[in-house]
Amino acid sequence: MAAALLVPSLLAFALAACQPGPSQTPEGAPMATDAAATAVADAAFQELAGQWLEKSMELSPVAATQIGDHRYDDRIDDLSQGGRTRALEFQRRILTQLDTIDTSALSRENQVDAAILRNQLRYDIWSGETLQSWAWDPQIYSQLAGSALYGLMARDFAPMPQRLKSATARMQQIPTLFTQMRQNLDPARVPRIHADKVAAQNAGILSLVDGLILPHAGRLKGEDRKQLDAAVATLRKAVEEHQTWLDQTLVPNAKGDFRIGETLYDEKLAFALNSPLSRQEIRTRVEADIERTRAEMYGIARGVLRGRDGAPVAMPDAPTPEQQQQVIEAALELAYADRPARDEVVEVATRSTEQATAFVREKDLVTLPDTPVKIILMPEFQRGVTVAYCDSPGPLDKELDTFYAVSPIPDDWTQAQVDSFLREYNTRSIHELSIHEAMPGHFLQLAHSNKYPSTLRAVLGSGPFIEGWAMYAEKVMADAGYMDEDPLMQLINRKWNLRAMANALLDQAIHVDGMTREEAMELMTVTTFQQEREAAGKWERAQLTSAQLSTYYVGYSEHLDLRREVEEREGEAFDLKAYHDKLLSFGSPPVRFARQLLLDEPIR
């Protein structure tokens, strides 16, 4: 049976998955509605959510593939003016209909989903009409082209010949996407950093063709094979022509400002975080946490260095800023000395993931997923923004692999660049990275999330919840004793916390306050102890993105706040594993809603 027939209609799936539950209110509070009214409201919302899911997949075929709805695997998104207009009209219509539903009458779980959907609709409309990334960010098009092919070939969700035919159809459409990109972009609005990045990565789509598609081309015969070969030839020519336009037209004329400014940034941050924390509150928290974490690092570093040859002479209880900096840096040098060879990064990631998994199982910290994570080399078209990421299967793709993708060291890096990178991603740092990305971080959390019955919530997973959990997982491991016998690992753990804090500061300081490269590099290389290569890459990433870098720290702060509140309420009855399992059972909603569900408070 064809795989597409095995995937139920997304509308039917959504309606079946969101059956109305009993109305619940905090103890002692009056019932907001009776069961009959709740049933009516839930049914209306389920129908509307199903409409949104159904049409959204049709409008965004590449995202649909990633989610696991494979009805549109032979299409790519239409980013022409007409395609964008149709999407905006649909989003406005759904938002208008959502506003007619009495959300206070919904069951609690549907109240959360309704709030998440409303935020997403408003975000999408704002992005299309106000931010207008389609007119100035070429990354939208290049990443869509790469994802269109990678999403088909990375996982065995269907027989290879079927996926190859879908890839053929998408390769035939990518030249049209290039044309839309050239028509939509206004070079005067395109930041030079964005143009340079896309120009450098453009040929990367051919590496997907050569590495993931052509090795399997022999699985197609006759006319199907001829069409694939023709599509590849056409795509090669289109990529070459597009490269000429990028090099000769876009890059020389890219005059836009990569800083989106205070108004756009604050509006985007509110949508992206869906958190009660404002930009100013985030900054205040970050600055206090940086000071506290550096003090912790100084205490650990003194213990590491005491009695060692070459240790700083002055390590007083109350150090000056210069003494604190010197002592921490001296201890970190001991960690930097233990680093893998340039071709052993993935091997170290694999081994550290296995060790972390064994520890989580031994300490019974949280229920483990049934299947292991698979560690792979990061696809070329994804490189240049982050060193690693967790790529879980979509919520409709069951029993498929989760990838922990690690970026290899580029072949054209100088030895000095390699040394800087491996000082930052030393053996202990890669271990910390594996905790964050794999176990018990992203891999574990997303495996739990994909079991939550609401497809809507799975599709609209909260970045702060997901990224915040991964940071929180690092602390859980530290608190459980994973690093007790290795103070250098404790030091690296705190350094990684500092990195997330710096991320949140950079994000707003660059886009709102006009932070310069020199100021950013000082924050990263001095205040938060990052190596030059890592800091330079983060400076580039902060120019290429906005609001995303804040998700780590904000989500982490919210997870810590929630854990402390639950511990205080439950006292000696608090059970860590039960808490984790309950929290993760909600899927990946914004932490504010997870808190309200967990504490049985009104949804707002």
Side-chain angles (χ1 to χ4, degrees):
M1 184 181 293
L5 298 178
L6 294 174
V7 179
S9 162
L10 199 58
L11 174 59
F13 186 98
L15 295 179
C18 300
Q19 294 303 312
S23 178
Q24 301 176 29
T25 59
E27 183 177 354
M31 293 293 288
T33 181
D34 58 27
T38 295
V40 170
D42 278 350
F45 175 70
Q46 290 159 22
E47 180 179 358
L48 187 63
Q51 291 178 28
W52 180 83
L53 285 161
E54 185 81 5
K55 188 65 175 180
S56 292
M57 298 303 98
E58 180 184 341
L59 291 170
S60 303
V62 174
T65 298
Q66 294 170 334
I67 290 164
D69 180 356
H70 296 291
R71 292 172 296 160
Y72 309 105
D73 283 353
D74 60 348
R75 310 179 201 175
I76 61 174
D77 304 30
D78 179 4
L79 299 186
S80 67
Q81 181 176 347
R84 299 195 313 274
T85 298
R86 284 190 292 275
L88 280 170
E89 289 174 348
F90 164 68
Q91 290 152 3
R92 289 195 197 97
R93 177 172 62 82
I94 295 296
L95 182 59
T96 298
Q97 291 179 260
L98 180 60
D99 287 340
T100 67
I101 296 175
D102 179 8
T103 54
S104 67
L106 293 172
S107 61
R108 288 173 57 76
E109 294 290 350
N110 279 336
Q111 285 182 37
V112 170
D113 282 4
I116 293 172
L117 178 58
R118 177 176 285 105
N119 182 76
Q120 187 63 46
L121 289 166
R122 294 179 61 231
Y123 193 5
D124 288 341
I125 294 168
W126 176 86
S127 296
E129 294 183 329
T130 302
L131 187 62
Q132 297 184 342
S133 299
W134 50 267
W136 57 265
D137 189 356
Q139 296 177 106
I140 292 172
Y141 305 88
S142 62
Q143 291 174 359
L144 182 65
S147 297
L149 300 183
Y150 179 73
L152 291 174
M153 304 307 297
R155 289 190 174 86
D156 297 328
F157 60 81
M160 180 59 72
Q162 180 178 328
R163 289 187 285 141
L164 287 171
K165 285 189 280 188
S166 296
T168 298
R170 284 187 170 177
M171 286 191 289
Q172 292 169 340
Q173 297 167 65
I174 288 174
T176 299
L177 178 64
F178 289 160
T179 299
Q180 293 171 355
M181 174 179 176
R182 295 192 288 266
Q183 292 173 341
N184 292 345
L185 289 178
D186 177 0
R189 295 178 64 184
V190 176
R192 179 60 181 266
I193 180 70
H194 291 65
D196 286 341
K197 175 59 67 176
V198 170
Q201 291 183 330
N202 180 54
I205 192 171
L206 296 179
S207 70
L208 290 175
V209 174
D210 294 334
L212 295 180
I213 296 175
L214 289 182
H216 305 286
R219 304 285 295 276
L220 293 182
K221 305 298 181 183
E223 187 62 28
D224 290 336
R225 176 61 190 269
K226 289 180 182 179
Q227 289 186 13
L228 184 146
D229 290 341
V232 170
T234 299
L235 181 58
R236 290 192 191 280
K237 181 179 179 182
V239 169
E240 181 180 351
E241 293 173 348
H242 194 55
Q243 190 71 54
T244 299
W245 178 80
L246 290 169
D247 293 339
Q248 298 182 7
T249 300
L250 184 64
V251 171
N253 295 291
K255 309 296 183 185
D257 188 352
F258 64 83
R259 306 176 196 275
I260 66 174
E262 179 177 358
T263 299
L264 289 177
Y265 181 86
D266 283 349
E267 291 173 349
K268 184 176 183 180
L269 191 72
F271 285 126
L273 298 183
N274 203 349
S275 165
L277 291 176
S278 68
R279 169 168 54 90
Q280 294 78 9
E281 290 170 324
I282 294 168
R283 187 183 192 102
T284 298
R285 282 194 175 207
V286 167
E287 290 173 344
D289 277 348
I290 286 177
E291 183 177 351
R292 175 188 56 76
T293 303
R294 282 178 57 99
E296 288 182 6
M297 292 178 73
Y298 178 74
I300 296 169
R302 280 207 307 169
V304 168
L305 295 172
R306 190 170 289 116
R308 286 181 179 264
D309 293 338
V313 174
M315 295 191 293
D317 291 341
T320 65
E322 292 77 15
Q323 289 171 329
Q324 185 189 66
Q325 188 76 20
Q326 183 183 20
V327 170
I328 296 172
E329 287 180 348
L332 284 172
E333 285 295 331
L334 299 177
Y336 299 157
D338 182 8
R339 54 183 186 260
R342 66 181 296 161
D343 60 350
E344 293 178 349
V345 172
V346 175
E347 178 185 338
V348 173
T350 301
R351 188 167 61 248
S352 57
T353 300
E354 293 170 350
Q355 294 171 359
T357 301
F359 183 85
V360 173
R361 181 178 290 110
E362 175 192 350
K363 297 295 183 179
D364 202 23
L365 299 175
V366 60
T367 298
L368 294 176
D370 298 328
T371 57
V373 65
K374 179 180 290 186
I375 299 173
I376 64 168
L377 290 178
M378 185 182 297
E380 184 175 343
F381 81 99
Q382 295 277 32
R383 299 174 193 173
V385 175
T386 184
V387 73
Y389 60 80
C390 179
D391 182 11
S392 292
L396 298 185
D397 271 331
K398 304 300 182 182
E399 308 303 327
L400 295 182
D401 290 331
T402 293
F403 300 134
Y404 168 20
V406 182
S407 180
I409 297 175
D411 293 336
D412 60 354
W413 274 15
T414 66
Q415 189 58 47
Q417 290 174 315
V418 172
D419 289 343
S420 175
F421 178 87
L422 289 177
R423 280 167 61 83
E424 183 70 19
Y425 290 94
N426 54 76
T427 301
R428 290 177 176 84
S429 284
I430 295 174
H431 208 136
E432 188 79 11
L433 185 69
S434 297
I435 293 171
H436 181 101
E437 298 292 345
M439 179 61 70
H442 287 319
F443 162 58
L444 180 140
Q445 185 268 316
L446 291 170
H448 279 269
S449 180
N450 282 347
K451 294 180 180 180
Y452 186 76
S454 167
T455 305
L456 177 75
R457 193 178 301 181
V459 170
L460 298 180
S462 162
F465 185 99
I466 294 167
E467 296 295 353
W469 170 271
M471 274 194 70
Y472 168 77
E474 299 170 38
K475 179 172 173 54
V476 168
M477 294 290 276
D479 290 346
Y482 192 63
M483 308 166 191
D484 284 357
E485 304 301 319
D486 187 354
L488 290 178
M489 187 70 190
Q490 298 171 28
L491 204 62
I492 290 296
N493 170 259
R494 270 66 170 187
K495 174 183 167 173
W496 275 64
N497 286 345
L498 283 180
R499 281 174 35 142
M501 297 168 196
N503 284 350
L505 271 187
L506 283 171
D507 196 31
Q508 59 177 263
I510 288 172
H511 287 285
V512 176
D513 303 325
M515 175 181 270
T516 66
R517 186 182 192 279
E518 291 71 24
E519 292 168 337
M521 293 297 284
E522 181 176 0
L523 171 65
M524 289 184 283
T525 62
V526 178
T527 306
T528 59
F529 305 103
Q530 298 173 50
Q531 295 300 302
E532 187 277 337
R533 274 294 85 196
E534 172 67 18
K538 192 63 63 65
W539 164 251
E540 180 178 274
R541 179 178 173 184
Q543 296 172 82
L544 293 169
T545 65
S546 53
Q548 195 276 333
L549 281 172
S550 294
T551 59
Y552 305 90
Y553 175 79
V554 170
Y556 175 61
S557 296
E558 291 182 316
H559 274 293
L560 288 183
D561 288 348
L562 177 55
R563 161 86 174 270
R564 281 193 290 264
E565 186 171 1
V566 174
E567 282 185 303
E568 289 174 0
R569 287 195 179 197
E570 297 187 359
E572 293 183 359
F574 178 78
D575 182 291
L576 184 61
K577 182 181 181 182
Y579 168 78
H580 289 155
D581 287 351
K582 182 66 174 178
L583 177 65
L584 296 180
S585 74
F586 299 135
S588 301
V591 181
R592 66 193 294 178
F593 298 131
R595 177 189 176 278
Q596 291 160 12
L597 289 170
L598 194 66
L599 300 179
D600 201 23
E601 294 184 352
I603 306 300
R604 57 183 182 274

Short mmCIF file of all heavy atoms in Angstrom, two decimals, residues 520-559:
data_model
loop_
_atom_site.label_atom_id
_atom_site.label_comp_id
_atom_site.label_asym_id
_atom_site.label_seq_id
_atom_site.Cartn_x
_atom_site.Cartn_y
_atom_site.Cartn_z
N ALA A 520 29.80 43.19 20.81
CA ALA A 520 29.27 41.83 20.86
C ALA A 520 30.39 40.83 21.13
O ALA A 520 30.22 39.89 21.92
CB ALA A 520 28.57 41.50 19.54
N MET A 521 31.51 41.02 20.47
CA MET A 521 32.63 40.09 20.66
C MET A 521 33.17 40.17 22.08
O MET A 521 33.57 39.15 22.66
CB MET A 521 33.73 40.39 19.64
CG MET A 521 33.35 40.10 18.20
SD MET A 521 32.99 38.35 17.87
CE MET A 521 34.66 37.67 17.86
N GLU A 522 33.17 41.34 22.68
CA GLU A 522 33.63 41.46 24.07
C GLU A 522 32.68 40.73 25.01
O GLU A 522 33.10 40.03 25.93
CB GLU A 522 33.75 42.92 24.48
CG GLU A 522 34.25 43.08 25.92
CD GLU A 522 34.47 44.52 26.32
OE1 GLU A 522 34.25 45.42 25.49
OE2 GLU A 522 34.87 44.75 27.49
N LEU A 523 31.37 40.91 24.79
CA LEU A 523 30.39 40.19 25.62
C LEU A 523 30.62 38.69 25.53
O LEU A 523 30.58 37.98 26.55
CB LEU A 523 28.97 40.54 25.16
CG LEU A 523 27.83 39.70 25.77
CD1 LEU A 523 27.73 39.94 27.27
CD2 LEU A 523 26.50 40.01 25.08
N MET A 524 30.87 38.20 24.33
CA MET A 524 31.00 36.76 24.14
C MET A 524 32.37 36.23 24.56
O MET A 524 32.46 35.23 25.27
CB MET A 524 30.69 36.40 22.68
CG MET A 524 29.22 36.54 22.32
SD MET A 524 28.83 36.03 20.63
CE MET A 524 29.42 37.44 19.69
N THR A 525 33.43 36.87 24.13
CA THR A 525 34.76 36.30 24.37
C THR A 525 35.29 36.62 25.76
O THR A 525 36.11 35.87 26.30
CB THR A 525 35.76 36.80 23.31
OG1 THR A 525 35.88 38.23 23.39
CG2 THR A 525 35.33 36.40 21.91
N VAL A 526 34.86 37.72 26.36
CA VAL A 526 35.37 38.11 27.69
C VAL A 526 34.33 37.76 28.76
O VAL A 526 34.57 36.91 29.63
CB VAL A 526 35.73 39.60 27.73
CG1 VAL A 526 36.20 39.98 29.14
CG2 VAL A 526 36.80 39.93 26.70
N THR A 527 33.17 38.38 28.70
CA THR A 527 32.17 38.20 29.76
C THR A 527 31.69 36.77 29.86
O THR A 527 31.49 36.25 30.96
CB THR A 527 30.98 39.14 29.52
OG1 THR A 527 31.46 40.49 29.40
CG2 THR A 527 29.99 39.06 30.68
N THR A 528 31.51 36.10 28.71
CA THR A 528 30.95 34.75 28.73
C THR A 528 31.92 33.71 28.18
O THR A 528 31.51 32.59 27.87
CB THR A 528 29.60 34.70 27.98
OG1 THR A 528 29.80 35.11 26.62
CG2 THR A 528 28.59 35.62 28.63
N PHE A 529 33.19 34.04 28.04
CA PHE A 529 34.29 33.08 27.84
C PHE A 529 34.18 32.23 26.56
O PHE A 529 34.64 31.09 26.55
CB PHE A 529 34.40 32.14 29.06
CG PHE A 529 34.55 32.87 30.35
CD1 PHE A 529 33.47 32.99 31.22
CD2 PHE A 529 35.76 33.44 30.72
CE1 PHE A 529 33.60 33.66 32.43
CE2 PHE A 529 35.90 34.12 31.93
CZ PHE A 529 34.82 34.23 32.78
N GLN A 530 33.61 32.78 25.50
CA GLN A 530 33.51 32.01 24.26
C GLN A 530 34.76 32.24 23.40
O GLN A 530 35.38 33.30 23.45
CB GLN A 530 32.25 32.41 23.49
CG GLN A 530 30.97 32.11 24.26
CD GLN A 530 29.73 32.65 23.59
OE1 GLN A 530 29.52 32.43 22.40
NE2 GLN A 530 28.90 33.35 24.35
N GLN A 531 35.08 31.24 22.59
CA GLN A 531 36.22 31.35 21.69
C GLN A 531 35.87 32.22 20.48
O GLN A 531 34.71 32.41 20.13
CB GLN A 531 36.65 29.97 21.23
CG GLN A 531 37.17 29.09 22.36
CD GLN A 531 38.38 29.69 23.05
OE1 GLN A 531 39.41 29.95 22.41
NE2 GLN A 531 38.28 29.91 24.35
N GLU A 532 36.91 32.72 19.83
CA GLU A 532 36.71 33.65 18.73
C GLU A 532 35.84 33.07 17.63
O GLU A 532 34.94 33.75 17.10
CB GLU A 532 38.07 34.07 18.16
CG GLU A 532 38.00 35.18 17.13
CD GLU A 532 37.67 34.69 15.71
OE1 GLU A 532 37.92 33.51 15.43
OE2 GLU A 532 37.14 35.49 14.90
N ARG A 533 36.05 31.80 17.26
CA ARG A 533 35.27 31.20 16.17
C ARG A 533 33.79 31.10 16.55
O ARG A 533 32.91 31.38 15.75
CB ARG A 533 35.81 29.82 15.83
CG ARG A 533 36.96 29.75 14.86
CD ARG A 533 36.57 30.20 13.46
NE ARG A 533 36.65 31.65 13.29
CZ ARG A 533 36.08 32.31 12.29
NH1 ARG A 533 35.36 31.68 11.39
NH2 ARG A 533 36.21 33.61 12.20
N GLU A 534 33.52 30.67 17.77
CA GLU A 534 32.15 30.56 18.24
C GLU A 534 31.50 31.94 18.27
O GLU A 534 30.35 32.12 17.82
CB GLU A 534 32.10 29.94 19.62
CG GLU A 534 30.73 29.94 20.28
CD GLU A 534 29.71 29.05 19.59
OE1 GLU A 534 30.12 28.17 18.82
OE2 GLU A 534 28.51 29.25 19.82
N ALA A 535 32.22 32.92 18.80
CA ALA A 535 31.67 34.27 18.90
C ALA A 535 31.43 34.88 17.53
O ALA A 535 30.40 35.53 17.30
CB ALA A 535 32.61 35.14 19.73
N ALA A 536 32.35 34.68 16.60
CA ALA A 536 32.18 35.21 15.26
C ALA A 536 30.97 34.58 14.58
O ALA A 536 30.20 35.26 13.89
CB ALA A 536 33.45 34.97 14.43
N GLY A 537 30.79 33.28 14.77
CA GLY A 537 29.63 32.60 14.20
C GLY A 537 28.34 33.10 14.81
O GLY A 537 27.32 33.25 14.12
N LYS A 538 28.35 33.36 16.13
CA LYS A 538 27.14 33.85 16.79
C LYS A 538 26.82 35.28 16.36
O LYS A 538 25.64 35.64 16.23
CB LYS A 538 27.33 33.77 18.31
CG LYS A 538 26.05 33.96 19.12
CD LYS A 538 25.03 32.87 18.85
CE LYS A 538 25.52 31.49 19.26
NZ LYS A 538 25.74 31.32 20.67
N TRP A 539 27.84 36.09 16.15
CA TRP A 539 27.62 37.45 15.64
C TRP A 539 26.91 37.38 14.28
O TRP A 539 25.97 38.12 14.02
CB TRP A 539 28.94 38.20 15.53
CG TRP A 539 28.90 39.44 14.68
CD1 TRP A 539 29.47 39.62 13.46
CD2 TRP A 539 28.24 40.68 15.00
NE1 TRP A 539 29.21 40.88 12.98
CE2 TRP A 539 28.47 41.56 13.91
CE3 TRP A 539 27.49 41.12 16.08
CZ2 TRP A 539 27.96 42.86 13.89
CZ3 TRP A 539 26.98 42.42 16.05
CH2 TRP A 539 27.23 43.27 14.97
N GLU A 540 27.36 36.45 13.44
CA GLU A 540 26.72 36.28 12.14
C GLU A 540 25.28 35.79 12.30
O GLU A 540 24.36 36.30 11.66
CB GLU A 540 27.52 35.30 11.29
CG GLU A 540 26.93 35.05 9.91
CD GLU A 540 27.78 34.11 9.08
OE1 GLU A 540 28.72 34.58 8.42
OE2 GLU A 540 27.51 32.89 9.11
N ARG A 541 25.09 34.81 13.17
CA ARG A 541 23.75 34.27 13.39
C ARG A 541 22.80 35.34 13.91
O ARG A 541 21.63 35.39 13.50
CB ARG A 541 23.82 33.10 14.37
CG ARG A 541 22.49 32.45 14.70
CD ARG A 541 22.71 31.28 15.63
NE ARG A 541 21.45 30.72 16.12
CZ ARG A 541 21.37 29.74 17.01
NH1 ARG A 541 22.48 29.19 17.49
NH2 ARG A 541 20.20 29.29 17.42
N ALA A 542 23.27 36.20 14.80
CA ALA A 542 22.42 37.25 15.37
C ALA A 542 22.02 38.27 14.32
O ALA A 542 20.96 38.90 14.44
CB ALA A 542 23.15 37.94 16.53
N GLN A 543 22.86 38.45 13.30
CA GLN A 543 22.48 39.34 12.20
C GLN A 543 21.46 38.70 11.27
O GLN A 543 20.60 39.38 10.71
CB GLN A 543 23.72 39.70 11.38
CG GLN A 543 24.78 40.50 12.12
CD GLN A 543 26.03 40.65 11.29
OE1 GLN A 543 26.11 41.52 10.43
NE2 GLN A 543 27.01 39.79 11.52
N LEU A 544 21.56 37.38 11.13
CA LEU A 544 20.70 36.66 10.19
C LEU A 544 19.33 36.31 10.77
O LEU A 544 18.42 35.96 10.03
CB LEU A 544 21.40 35.37 9.74
CG LEU A 544 22.65 35.54 8.88
CD1 LEU A 544 23.39 34.21 8.74
CD2 LEU A 544 22.30 36.09 7.51
N THR A 545 19.20 36.36 12.10
CA THR A 545 17.94 35.99 12.75
C THR A 545 17.56 37.07 13.77
O THR A 545 18.35 37.95 14.10
CB THR A 545 18.08 34.65 13.49
OG1 THR A 545 19.03 34.80 14.57
CG2 THR A 545 18.55 33.55 12.56
N SER A 546 16.35 37.00 14.25
CA SER A 546 15.91 37.87 15.35
C SER A 546 14.87 37.13 16.16
O SER A 546 14.09 36.34 15.62
CB SER A 546 15.33 39.18 14.81
OG SER A 546 14.31 38.94 13.85
N ALA A 547 14.88 37.35 17.47
CA ALA A 547 13.95 36.75 18.44
C ALA A 547 14.28 35.30 18.78
O ALA A 547 14.06 34.87 19.91
CB ALA A 547 12.49 36.87 17.99
N GLN A 548 14.83 34.52 17.84
CA GLN A 548 15.08 33.11 18.13
C GLN A 548 16.14 32.91 19.21
O GLN A 548 16.02 32.01 20.05
CB GLN A 548 15.49 32.38 16.84
CG GLN A 548 15.43 30.85 16.93
CD GLN A 548 16.67 30.21 17.54
OE1 GLN A 548 17.77 30.78 17.46
NE2 GLN A 548 16.51 29.04 18.14
N LEU A 549 17.17 33.73 19.21
CA LEU A 549 18.25 33.56 20.19
C LEU A 549 17.78 33.80 21.62
O LEU A 549 18.45 33.37 22.56
CB LEU A 549 19.43 34.49 19.86
CG LEU A 549 20.37 34.04 18.75
CD1 LEU A 549 21.37 35.13 18.41
CD2 LEU A 549 21.10 32.76 19.15
N SER A 550 16.66 34.45 21.79
CA SER A 550 16.13 34.67 23.14
C SER A 550 15.37 33.47 23.68
O SER A 550 15.12 33.40 24.89
CB SER A 550 15.20 35.89 23.14
OG SER A 550 15.90 37.08 22.86
N THR A 551 14.98 32.55 22.81
CA THR A 551 14.11 31.46 23.25
C THR A 551 14.78 30.57 24.29
O THR A 551 14.10 30.06 25.19
CB THR A 551 13.66 30.60 22.05
OG1 THR A 551 14.81 30.05 21.39
CG2 THR A 551 12.87 31.44 21.06
N TYR A 552 16.10 30.37 24.19
CA TYR A 552 16.80 29.47 25.11
C TYR A 552 16.67 29.96 26.55
O TYR A 552 16.20 29.25 27.43
CB TYR A 552 18.28 29.37 24.74
CG TYR A 552 18.53 28.97 23.31
CD1 TYR A 552 18.63 29.92 22.31
CD2 TYR A 552 18.68 27.63 22.96
CE1 TYR A 552 18.88 29.56 20.99
CE2 TYR A 552 18.92 27.25 21.65
CZ TYR A 552 19.01 28.22 20.68
OH TYR A 552 19.24 27.86 19.38
N TYR A 553 17.13 31.19 26.76
CA TYR A 553 17.16 31.71 28.13
C TYR A 553 15.76 31.94 28.68
O TYR A 553 15.49 31.63 29.85
CB TYR A 553 17.96 33.02 28.18
CG TYR A 553 17.94 33.65 29.54
CD1 TYR A 553 18.76 33.18 30.56
CD2 TYR A 553 17.05 34.69 29.82
CE1 TYR A 553 18.72 33.74 31.83
CE2 TYR A 553 17.00 35.26 31.09
CZ TYR A 553 17.83 34.78 32.09
OH TYR A 553 17.78 35.32 33.34
N VAL A 554 14.87 32.49 27.86
CA VAL A 554 13.52 32.78 28.35
C VAL A 554 12.82 31.48 28.74
O VAL A 554 12.22 31.36 29.82
CB VAL A 554 12.71 33.55 27.30
CG1 VAL A 554 11.24 33.63 27.71
CG2 VAL A 554 13.29 34.95 27.12
N GLY A 555 12.89 30.48 27.87
CA GLY A 555 12.26 29.20 28.21
C GLY A 555 12.88 28.56 29.43
O GLY A 555 12.17 28.00 30.28
N TYR A 556 14.20 28.64 29.54
CA TYR A 556 14.91 28.09 30.70
C TYR A 556 14.45 28.78 31.98
O TYR A 556 14.14 28.11 32.98
CB TYR A 556 16.40 28.29 30.49
CG TYR A 556 17.29 27.90 31.64
CD1 TYR A 556 17.32 26.59 32.12
CD2 TYR A 556 18.13 28.83 32.25
CE1 TYR A 556 18.15 26.22 33.17
CE2 TYR A 556 18.97 28.47 33.29
CZ TYR A 556 18.98 27.17 33.75
OH TYR A 556 19.81 26.81 34.78
N SER A 557 14.36 30.09 31.95
CA SER A 557 13.92 30.84 33.14
C SER A 557 12.51 30.44 33.54
O SER A 557 12.21 30.26 34.72
CB SER A 557 13.97 32.35 32.86
OG SER A 557 15.29 32.78 32.63
N GLU A 558 11.64 30.29 32.55
CA GLU A 558 10.26 29.92 32.85
C GLU A 558 10.16 28.49 33.39
O GLU A 558 9.37 28.22 34.30
CB GLU A 558 9.40 30.08 31.60
CG GLU A 558 9.22 31.53 31.17
CD GLU A 558 8.34 31.66 29.95
OE1 GLU A 558 8.51 30.89 28.99
OE2 GLU A 558 7.47 32.55 29.96
N HIS A 559 10.97 27.57 32.84
CA HIS A 559 10.99 26.21 33.37
C HIS A 559 11.47 26.20 34.82
O HIS A 559 10.91 25.48 35.66
CB HIS A 559 11.88 25.31 32.51
CG HIS A 559 11.18 24.70 31.34
ND1 HIS A 559 10.19 23.77 31.48
CD2 HIS A 559 11.35 24.90 30.01
CE1 HIS A 559 9.76 23.41 30.27
NE2 HIS A 559 10.44 24.08 29.36
#
